[in-house]
Amino acid sequence: GQFSDTDFLGNAIYGSKRDIGAYEYAGGTGLKPVIVEGKPVATYYYNLQGVKVTAPTQNGIYIVKTVYDNGRAITSKELIVKK
């Protein structure tokens, strides 16, 4: 097809590069590393339904909340693969 300056919804395309993904190329990554100074004091696991579990017991995606001794907490989504 022919390239356009807008996507299918009429929104402007970012930059000059095109790709075949769900979103236009915006350069770099949308993820920024999180640096937390301190030591982890607790780790909590939740399944994707939001139910707290003691620890992952099967393969799957879990929400992991790590609490640090300085009071900060980092939440991440992690793929857990058990052997």
Side-chain angles (χ1 to χ4, degrees):
Q2 185 173 346
F3 290 111
S4 172
D5 291 335
T6 59
D7 63 12
F8 290 116
L9 299 175
N11 299 319
I13 294 176
Y14 303 106
S16 61
K17 294 186 179 184
R18 310 290 199 278
D19 65 16
I20 60 172
Y23 302 97
E24 292 81 14
Y25 177 81
T29 178
L31 302 175
K32 295 181 181 179
V34 177
I35 299 171
V36 176
E37 294 182 10
K39 295 182 181 183
V41 293
T43 302
Y44 304 102
Y45 297 92
Y46 301 86
N47 63 23
L48 290 182
Q49 290 74 35
V51 177
K52 188 175 183 179
V53 295
T54 306
T57 57
Q58 56 186 335
N59 294 344
I61 298 173
Y62 291 86
I63 305 299
V64 181
K65 179 179 180 181
T66 306
V67 180
Y68 292 84
D69 60 356
N70 61 5
R72 295 214 41 202
I74 300 296
T75 303
S76 61
K77 190 185 316 180
E78 297 182 14
L79 173 63
I80 306 292
V81 179
K82 299 257 185 201
K83 289 187 176 186

